Amino acid sequence: MIYLDNSATTKPFPEVVDSFVAVATNYFANPSSLHGLGMKAERLLAQAREQIAAMLRVKPNEIVFTSGGTEANNFAIKGVAWQYERRGRHIITTKIEHPSVAEPCRQLEELGFEVTYLPVDREGRVSVEQVERALRDDTILVSVMHVNNEVGTVQPIEEIGALLSRYPKTLFHVDRVQGISKVPLDLKQAGVDLCTISAHKFHGLRGAGLLYVREGVRLAPLIAGGGQERQLRSGTENVAAIVAMAKALRLAMERYERDIGRLQALKDEWLEALSAIPDIEINTPRDGVAPHIINFSLKRGVKPEVFVHELEKNGIYVSTTSACSSKKKAPSKTLLAMGLGEDRAERGIRISLSFDNSREEIAPAVAAIKQAIKTLSEVTE
């Protein structure tokens, strides 16, 4: 198997699975319970919070555990909107955000909020000047992703944060789901108020994530109940998955320190090999991008979803748009926003690497890609 769909989800590290099993087996009590078993689970939860906070260089009380990136993004956007709506009802985001940002924004529009969707340039990047022009007295939130999940473009988060430091009434949310452990970002230095992370994107388990909430920022809770997570996110915490997330983040960041150069070199080799295929067009920019995402478009007549299944016959796994949108068979909104045209946007394919991928996979995978294009082209001719 050659797995090239790591932006959709990563394979959990074996040590992470072991941690989950050990905690789920031996520390299964509710961390809110008063008895000894509950207190042991609570201590594990607190320890995981401290470890994650240290790795992110934030305070433990700024970490709110969630079920994953989608919940955290919804919490950030709706939580700000409902908490600060008396201050203003205007939100700024971009045209290339993940659905878990775009859809909450559209829901808020139905409730009377106004959302400005900023365009991006040919490389999929929003400009700080556009953000500044869109700011208004009633702007309560700017939400910009760190790394685009389809083409890998890194957004100017530090520059936007510097701009917003002059607008203290406007909060800054960053969806860092694709950037964590791949592209560095100091949340404090960048002036980020809210930041989303999801465990299964860095070899953790699905069902665990977090929202960084800068000290002093207030949010209206989405989920009411027992008042867990400092009254911000009710529901019994998934201690085993959270402990596993802490371990996954530590291991992933160790891999970053050790292997980021190798991963970038691997991506460069992939780009060189793919660029030599006449029947595809590379969509991922060359500069200012993450080291693990490559997007290209197929020749006309080759349907992306059929191409994905054709590669699967050889044990090679890639994707079309983001995993959350891949079954909708709609053109990539990111490629459309980049101005690449609807035809090219309908034929996008994403390869996404992890630190576990190797050079030895490139030749057989590229050969299979060439053969799949040839086979499917003959079918349509």
Side-chain angles (χ1 to χ4, degrees):
M1 181 179 74
I2 300 178
Y3 184 73
L4 303 170
D5 196 18
N6 289 280
S7 286
T9 197
T10 53
K11 183 179 180 180
F13 288 131
E15 303 96 319
V16 169
V17 177
D18 292 342
S19 290
F20 177 86
V21 172
V23 174
T25 302
N26 301 308
Y27 300 92
F28 55 84
N30 191 320
S32 297
S33 295
L34 295 177
H35 50 65
L37 284 177
M39 293 176 66
K40 288 180 180 179
E42 184 183 28
R43 282 196 293 270
L44 275 181
L45 184 65
Q47 184 180 25
R49 195 186 307 274
E50 290 171 0
Q51 291 171 345
I52 291 172
M55 286 184 278
L56 298 180
R57 298 180 182 178
V58 302
K59 298 176 181 179
N61 67 351
E62 295 177 314
I63 300 295
V64 179
F65 292 122
T66 70
S67 63
T70 292
E71 183 193 335
N73 280 339
N74 272 263
F75 184 22
I77 293 163
K78 295 176 182 176
V80 167
W82 295 335
Q83 181 68 41
Y84 296 99
E85 61 181 326
R86 291 185 180 179
R87 178 189 294 176
R89 295 169 69 85
H90 178 234
I91 295 169
I92 298 172
T93 188
T94 79
K95 292 183 177 181
I96 62 167
E97 297 300 310
H98 188 271
S100 60
V101 167
E103 290 308 311
C105 286
R106 302 210 187 281
Q107 288 181 326
L108 288 173
E109 285 182 291
E110 294 176 1
L111 297 175
F113 288 81
E114 188 176 349
V115 181
T116 298
Y117 299 92
L118 297 177
V120 295
D121 61 19
R122 192 78 174 183
E123 295 189 336
R125 189 171 292 108
V126 69
S127 75
V128 181
E129 292 74 23
Q130 288 172 324
V131 176
E132 186 169 22
R133 285 196 297 269
L135 286 167
R136 307 184 330 202
D137 290 339
D138 62 339
T139 304
I140 55 175
L141 179 68
V142 173
S143 180
V144 179
M145 66 188 351
H146 181 205
V147 171
N148 180 263
N149 55 300
E150 291 190 56
V151 299
T153 301
V154 179
Q155 301 301 327
I157 299 301
E158 292 87 350
E159 292 86 348
I160 295 172
L163 165 68
L164 295 178
S165 68
R166 308 201 303 267
Y167 298 83
K169 292 184 178 181
T170 301
L171 296 175
F172 186 23
H173 168 242
V174 174
D175 175 356
R176 200 186 172 195
V177 167
Q178 290 295 337
I180 185 70
S181 81
K182 301 295 194 306
V183 181
L185 179 66
D186 188 311
L187 299 178
K188 297 294 185 182
Q189 287 187 3
V192 175
D193 299 300
L194 301 149
C195 182
T196 298
I197 291 172
S198 183
H200 75 101
K201 304 296 187 177
F202 50 88
H203 305 279
L205 302 173
R206 286 186 286 275
L210 65 86
L211 180 67
Y212 158 73
V213 183
R214 180 181 57 78
E215 195 171 51
V217 173
R218 292 181 297 161
L219 295 178
L222 293 190
I223 302 174
Q228 290 88 345
E229 296 299 296
R230 294 185 293 111
Q231 306 289 326
L232 290 173
R233 198 274 186 183
S234 294
T236 302
E237 293 96 340
N238 187 347
V239 178
I242 290 168
V243 170
M245 175 167 62
K247 174 160 276 191
L249 184 57
R250 177 177 63 81
L251 294 173
M253 294 182 82
E254 288 175 358
R255 293 293 297 273
Y256 171 85
E257 293 295 333
R258 188 171 72 244
D259 293 335
I260 188 60
R262 185 185 65 81
L263 183 62
Q264 183 62 62
L266 184 66
K267 179 188 172 183
D268 291 342
E269 288 191 52
W270 264 105
L271 280 170
E272 183 179 356
L274 291 170
S275 298
I277 302 175
D279 295 318
I280 67 174
E281 298 171 288
I282 303 295
N283 299 321
T284 292
R286 285 284 181 175
D287 300 312
V289 292
H292 64 298
I293 298 175
I294 300 171
N295 190 291
F296 61 89
S297 290
L298 299 163
K299 66 177 291 188
R300 278 187 194 85
V302 179
K303 294 183 178 180
E305 61 273 17
V306 180
F307 176 80
V308 168
H309 291 305
E310 187 69 21
L311 285 185
E312 185 182 354
K313 294 177 183 178
N314 293 295
I316 299 169
Y317 296 87
V318 301
S319 63
T320 52
T321 58
S322 71
C324 296
S325 306
S326 60
K327 293 183 180 179
K328 296 179 180 178
K329 298 182 181 179
S332 161
K333 70 175 186 178
T334 297
L335 299 184
L336 286 174
M338 290 168 64
L340 299 183
E342 186 166 346
D343 184 57
R344 193 160 160 179
E346 288 178 340
R347 298 179 283 111
I349 295 292
R350 181 183 68 185
I351 285 175
S352 46
L353 309 170
S354 81
F355 293 115
D356 289 333
N357 289 112
S358 66
R359 293 183 63 195
E360 289 70 29
E361 296 172 333
I362 297 176
V366 168
I369 288 170
K370 291 178 179 178
Q371 183 58 50
I373 292 173
K374 181 176 184 295
T375 300
L376 297 176
S377 297
E378 290 172 352
V379 170
T380 57
E381 288 176 357

